[in-house]
């Protein structure tokens, strides 16, 4: 091995990942976690991505803030013309060919990169792999591990004729590319000629880029540098991978390249699966540790630490302020979705936030709301996996493409309710938003009712918040009313109440339920202090929620106060309603009720907020902080 060779301890390692589509960002995040776990060097990731993955990656890295990690994103669409002419029947489609064109988009100053598939798990420091570049012979340009199956021997099926390869061929799941040398060898021309020649006698590639690269190596064997096989232990079936290591501790990279993924047969699969699952569930926030031996600094870190020092522990709002300073790691579009409002300028997105304990509401809510949904979820890394299988197991949710799930990873002690609302709101793609809470079920048909309402109410001429009246039930099994008439009779019977009728009537009193009973047209109401309605607003008009309010208390009241300060007209919709379903009280409410400190801080935050509003909007209103 290469123990004698050493890296400069701050040498940057460059990694290329082709990451296209929402699904790929999930697997990429797990490979990256495994790399970060073992690394001791600065890393620079180069992503080849489409616009969907780009948004996710940018957001993830900006919020993850791992020290000494940089990233660059290259548009995969730029590569499509170069590679799409190669027919492929691999499941990855044209994306599987992108690696062929890397030289066209990577910057010319870049000398060498490690190119990594997203179905890889690292079990050792990538620096050891980077060191292999020093072992390359003078003309070697691509470092690869041999394919550990008999595929390229052509003996697997009777009439099967694979692409030409040296012996068993090579696997491109881990590929060391000496870019400088590949440029000298005129790589781009080389692979094109090989592909053109081979496609004269066969219809397509079976294994995408891997077939073409093997074809090139067959033609020009001097290019290849053979890597020890433990750098890419391939867990496909028919595999020889078990011959490649004597002890599992030798293994440095595991490649889940079987279509069966985690269910593959291998003597040590339990061991591999555990390794994979531990990275899947590992708290990514813990990977923010710095490399103190590399002393170049980045501005981002100083901002965070200076905030820490300013807040005194005696401050009644210490906990709030510390949480407020957290930059929550965020993985947008965790599950694939592709909603584009099709030129419908009156479309409405339902916006809400939740944590694991409300997950079962998502099904019921989406059953009653067929329109687009933008949800922010506050989860740990381990809960994210449970959430994923929940969605994949639900027939309803699996079939919906218009629900966007944005994951915000847990950190600190308070529930960042308004931060979550803002994330869900920002990511909504429609012009109008319905700002609601996860434990309310919309009436059947609310989506089309709201779309019609926003058309007739001329939000073009004055800014409006359309109020959807809220009700509640104490019953776990509710015969959900199918119409306003049914709802009214249930109110009379006492199976339903107006929302928080017993403990906080002022929260919804301005809705004027008495008038609503008989109303057939929308009516304007006056905002009052403590009003916290559920509203439909225009995305470009609505202010953000104030993220200082965390946990329980005043998080929505503050927002409706700001709407009032901004001169929104509150207009109640006569034929719309939502019903709150019962649930156990949240931990945050319990905290509020128990802690004097918490209430004291909340009072300070309110006073502050009201002062700021007065200044910002020149809004003069009488409000006594209770
Ligand atoms: C993304 O994953 C889901 C299941 O998890 C699957 O149904 C869908 O086809 C995948 N999308 C792509 C483009 O592979
Ligand atoms: C080698 O051949 C197998 C077919 O058994 C194929 O699935 C795989 O993608 C090829 N490459 C590797 C790494 O095994
Ligand atoms: C840190 O960097 C500065 C200059 O950038 C250098 O003078 C100093 O020796 C470095 N310290 C260590 C411990 O490497």
């Amino acid at each position: 091995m290469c123990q004698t060779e050493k890296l400069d301890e701050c040498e940057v390692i460059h990694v290329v990942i082709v990451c296209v589509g929402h699904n790929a960002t999930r697997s990429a995040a797990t490979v990256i976690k495994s790399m970060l776990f073992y690394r001791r060097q600065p890393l620079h990731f180069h992503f080849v991505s489409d616009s969907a993955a780009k948004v996710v990656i940018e957001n993830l890295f900006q919020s993850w803030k791992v020290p000494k990690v940089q990233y660059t994103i290259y548009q995969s669409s730029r590569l499509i013309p170069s590679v799409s002419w190669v027919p492929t029947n691999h499941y990855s489609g044209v994306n599987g060919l992108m690696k062929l064109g890397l030289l066209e988009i990577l910057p010319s100053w870049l000398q060498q990169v490690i190119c990594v598939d997203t179905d890889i798990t690292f079990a050792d420091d990538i620096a050891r792999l980077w060191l292999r570049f020093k072992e390359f012979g003078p003309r070697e340009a691509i470092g690869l591990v041999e394919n550990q199956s008999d595929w390229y021997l052509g003996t697997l099926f009777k009439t099967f004729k694979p692409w030409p390869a040296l012996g068993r061929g090579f696997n491109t799941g881990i590929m060391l590319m000496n870019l400088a040398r590949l440029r000298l060898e005129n790589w781009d021309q080389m692979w094109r000629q090989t592909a053109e020649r081979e496609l004269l006698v066969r219809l397509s590639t079976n294994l995408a880029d891997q077939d073409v690269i093997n074809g090139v190596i067959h033609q020009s064997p001097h290019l290849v540098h053979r890597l020890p096989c433990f750098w890419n232990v391939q867990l496909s079936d028919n595999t020889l991978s078990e011959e490649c290591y004597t002890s599992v501790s030798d293994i440095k990279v595991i490649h889940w390249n079987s279509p069966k993924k985690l269910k593959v047969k291998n003597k040590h699969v339990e061991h591999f699966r555990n390794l994979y699952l531990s990275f899947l569930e590992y708290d990514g926030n813990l990977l923010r540790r710095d490399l103190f031996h590399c002393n170049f600094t980045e501005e981002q870190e100083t901002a965070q630490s200076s905030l820490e020092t300013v807040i005194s522990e005696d401050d009644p709002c210490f906990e709030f302020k510390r949480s407020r300073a957290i930059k929550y790691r965020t993985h947008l579009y965790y599950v694939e979705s592709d909603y584009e409002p099709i030129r419908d300028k009156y479309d409405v997105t339902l916006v809400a936030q939740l944590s694991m304990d409300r997950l079962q509401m998502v099904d019921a809510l989406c059953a009653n709301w067929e329109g687009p949904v933008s949800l922010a979820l506050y989860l740990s890394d381990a809960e994210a996996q449970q959430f994923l299988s929940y969605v994949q197991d639900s027939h309803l949710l699996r079939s919906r493409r218009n629900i966007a799930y944005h994951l915000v990873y847990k950190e600190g002690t308070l529930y960042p309710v308004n931060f979550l609302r803002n994330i869900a709101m920002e990511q909504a793609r429609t012009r109008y938003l319905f700002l609601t809470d996860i434990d309310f079920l919309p009436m059947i048909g609310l989506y089309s009712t709201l779309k019609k309402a926003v058309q007739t109410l001329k939000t073009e001429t004055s800014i409006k918040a359309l109020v959807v009246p809220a009700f509640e039930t104490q019953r776990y099994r509710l015969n959900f009313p199918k119409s306003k008439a049914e709802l009214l009779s249930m109110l009379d019977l006492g199976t339903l109440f107006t929302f928080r009728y017993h403990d906080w009537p002022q929260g919804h009193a301005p809705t004027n339920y008495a008038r609503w009973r008989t109303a057939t047209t929308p009516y304007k109401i006056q905002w009052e202090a403590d009003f916290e309605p559920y509203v439909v607003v225009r995305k470009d008009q609505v202010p953000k929620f104030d993220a200082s309010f965390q946990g329980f208390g005043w998080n929505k009241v503050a927002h409706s106060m700001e709407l009032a300060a901004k001169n929104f007209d509150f207009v109640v919709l006569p034929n719309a309603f939502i019903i709150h379903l019962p649930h156990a009280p949240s931990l945050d409410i319990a905290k509020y009720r128990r802690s004097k400190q918490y209430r004291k801080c909340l009072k300070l935050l309110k006073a502050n907020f009201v002062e700021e509003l007065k200044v910002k909007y020149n809004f003069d209103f009488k409000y006594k902080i209770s």
Side-chain angles (χ1 to χ4, degrees), residues 65-131:
K65 283 188 180 293
V66 185
K68 316 291 188 296
V69 167
Q70 285 175 282
Y71 68 94
T72 311
I73 301 177
Y74 310 86
Q75 276 174 21
S76 58
S77 58
R78 281 172 53 201
L79 279 184
I80 290 178
S82 315
V83 299
S84 61
W85 61 273
V86 180
T88 178
N89 49 30
H90 193 248
Y91 64 86
S92 57
V94 69
N95 302 330
L97 297 163
M98 298 273 174
K99 278 188 271 174
L100 294 171
L102 285 179
L103 253 59
E104 289 174 42
I105 52 172
L106 292 175
S108 54
W109 56 264
L110 200 54
Q111 297 295 302
Q112 55 190 44
V113 291
I114 299 178
C115 188
V116 168
D117 279 359
T118 53
D119 54 356
I120 291 271
T121 308
F122 273 81
D124 200 349
D125 187 349
I126 192 171
R128 290 166 171 267
L129 185 55
W130 189 252
L131 270 173

Side-chain angles (χ1 to χ4, degrees), residues 165-181:
L166 268 191
R168 292 206 137 68
F170 294 90
N171 184 283
T172 55
I174 289 272
M175 179 158 60
L176 272 57
M177 299 177 82
N178 183 324
L179 301 174
R181 226 164 268 165

